[in-house]
Amino acid sequence: MRHASHRFNPFVPAVLGLLLVSPLLQGGPVHEETVISLRHTILAAINEDRALHGLAPVQLDPHASEIADQFCARQIRERTRGHFVTDGQPPYMRYSQSGGNDGLSQNAAAWSANYVFSEASLAALVRESQREMMAEVAPNDGHRRTILDPWATHVGIGVAWEGGELRLSQEFIRRYLEWKRPLARSTSVDKRPLAMGKPRDGYRVHSISVHFEKQPETMSTALVNRLETYALPTRRRDYRPRLDAPVTNGPKRDMRASSRIYADGSRGDFTIDRDGAFSFAIPLDEGPGLYTVVVWVQPEGRDEIISASNVSIQASAPGTRATRAK
């Protein structure tokens, strides 16, 4: 899962003509009505492109949009671009630490100009951002593939501008799980945080992967601006539903045939109830660091598997107190 940040020409004089017919938005707080208008302009463009490719529309996600707005505003303050700010958090960690529980893929765009943006020029630039993303050609088409993700259900849209700086973020969400017990976001490695949830009707839990990395470190603005992609860490462990575990249904219990095993001879790692609900105590056996939990779900009767969560857990050493990311 890799995504390229959007990098545009530093000056965009073609939009200067629009300044003659629209009032300048100089300084001061961001106008909420303008943010709302830009957000719906972007959403309409996204869903128009999805419709042209036979895909269902995505719904606007207010929570993800709020997170995206904060990210864009911080990028402008720090003069950063791409998927990061100077705290070093990748998009999935930022979304998770802000309360998100679902699968996430991010598009990001940045514009710089030698003039102050007007409402008309802002609208023109966000539409141009969408056109640039959709014009990408494989294999360098990360933005386009994210917009046309057939399993995306929602999108958070963030936008911020100041003077001649504009930042835009699209946070595509895959929402397929109802969390009965969301995972803790911080703990210590001697604990095993418990995840409990159930996939949407028509889907089943295929597997769970746990990705490990060291805690993010503060980065310089120059380093942030050199990073064009992000990805989940390749250091991971995969876990599968148990094949010989008791299956529960209220007060009733029975046993699946104990002869059922996976190809590698194992019987699996976590239980699934008759209604499809799962429970899994996440092992934190790589030591202190960041563990990102991906629950993979599969549509009934299809081969595709969907990453339906990117929940990041900050795990500290035993006896120390984990601190929430800021």
Side-chain angles (χ1 to χ4, degrees):
M1 184 168 57
R2 302 186 69 84
H3 308 278
S5 62
H6 220 170
R7 300 175 64 180
F8 297 100
N9 293 331
F11 299 103
V12 282
V15 188
L16 282 171
L18 296 172
L19 300 180
L20 300 176
V21 295
S22 299
L24 297 180
L25 303 177
Q26 301 195 43
V30 173
H31 295 282
E32 185 63 25
E33 61 272 20
T34 304
V35 172
I36 293 171
S37 176
L38 292 173
R39 189 168 284 147
H40 283 283
T41 295
I42 299 164
L43 179 65
I46 287 170
N47 282 332
E48 180 179 345
D49 287 329
R50 289 177 62 87
L52 289 173
H53 291 80
L55 300 175
V58 289
Q59 300 178 43
L60 185 67
D61 187 301
H63 180 233
S65 296
E66 180 181 353
I67 297 168
D69 279 344
Q70 295 170 0
F71 168 68
C72 291
R74 182 166 176 175
Q75 280 202 319
I76 288 181
R77 291 196 303 271
E78 296 181 351
R79 292 297 189 263
T80 52
R81 61 177 179 264
H83 299 289
F84 295 87
V85 289
T86 56
D87 63 11
Q89 292 185 35
Y92 51 84
M93 180 182 181
R94 186 165 51 246
Y95 174 67
S96 176
Q97 291 293 315
S98 298
N101 289 301
D102 306 297
L104 173 79
S105 298
Q106 184 195 59
N107 281 340
W111 291 89
S112 297
N114 57 355
Y115 58 85
V116 177
F117 294 127
S118 67
E119 289 194 36
S121 62
L122 287 169
L125 288 178
V126 299
R127 287 192 292 265
E128 180 63 20
S129 297
Q130 184 71 14
R131 285 192 292 267
E132 291 272 355
M133 292 178 184
M134 289 300 299
E136 292 174 343
V137 178
N140 301 313
D141 60 342
H143 295 97
R144 187 176 191 275
R145 285 185 285 110
T146 298
I147 293 167
L148 299 181
D149 177 3
W151 304 111
T153 59
H154 296 75
V155 65
I157 297 172
V159 62
W161 66 92
E162 183 177 336
E165 294 295 325
L166 169 65
R167 298 295 183 271
L168 165 67
S169 177
Q170 300 172 345
E171 314 282 337
F172 284 88
I173 307 297
R174 294 176 295 279
R175 183 160 295 151
Y176 289 88
L177 293 172
E178 175 189 350
W179 289 87
K180 298 182 178 180
R181 179 169 177 166
L183 280 160
R185 297 316 197 258
S186 62
T187 187
S188 58
V189 294
D190 57 333
K191 306 288 179 61
R192 293 189 60 164
L194 181 63
M196 298 178 65
K198 180 183 176 182
R200 281 170 41 182
D201 290 344
Y203 297 82
R204 68 178 186 88
V205 174
H206 175 274
S207 58
I208 296 174
S209 59
V210 180
H211 302 250
F212 176 79
E213 60 193 300
K214 295 298 185 181
Q215 290 282 6
E217 296 182 352
T218 300
M219 298 188 294
S220 68
T221 297
L223 177 56
V224 170
N225 291 342
R226 288 198 297 269
L227 297 175
E228 297 186 357
T229 63
Y230 78 93
L232 284 171
T234 57
R235 187 171 173 181
R236 62 184 277 182
R237 295 192 179 185
D238 296 311
Y239 304 92
R240 294 174 293 190
R242 288 182 61 86
L243 297 178
D244 62 346
V247 177
T248 63
N249 185 13
K252 298 181 180 180
R253 294 170 64 89
D254 60 22
M255 289 291 292
R256 294 179 179 174
S258 60
S259 61
R260 296 180 64 193
I261 60 175
Y262 288 103
D264 61 1
S266 68
R267 299 192 186 281
D269 309 286
F270 61 91
T271 59
I272 294 183
D273 295 343
R274 283 189 180 277
D275 63 356
F278 70 93
S279 59
F280 184 43
I282 308 298
L284 305 176
D285 49 11
E286 299 281 357
L290 187 71
Y291 294 79
T292 299
V293 179
V294 180
V295 179
W296 299 87
V297 301
Q298 185 172 28
E300 293 178 0
R302 300 185 63 166
D303 294 331
E304 296 96 329
I305 56 172
I306 307 160
S307 55
S309 75
N310 296 121
V311 180
S312 296
I313 304 168
Q314 296 186 90
S316 60
T320 62
R321 184 177 180 180
T323 57
R324 187 181 184 277
K326 296 182 180 179

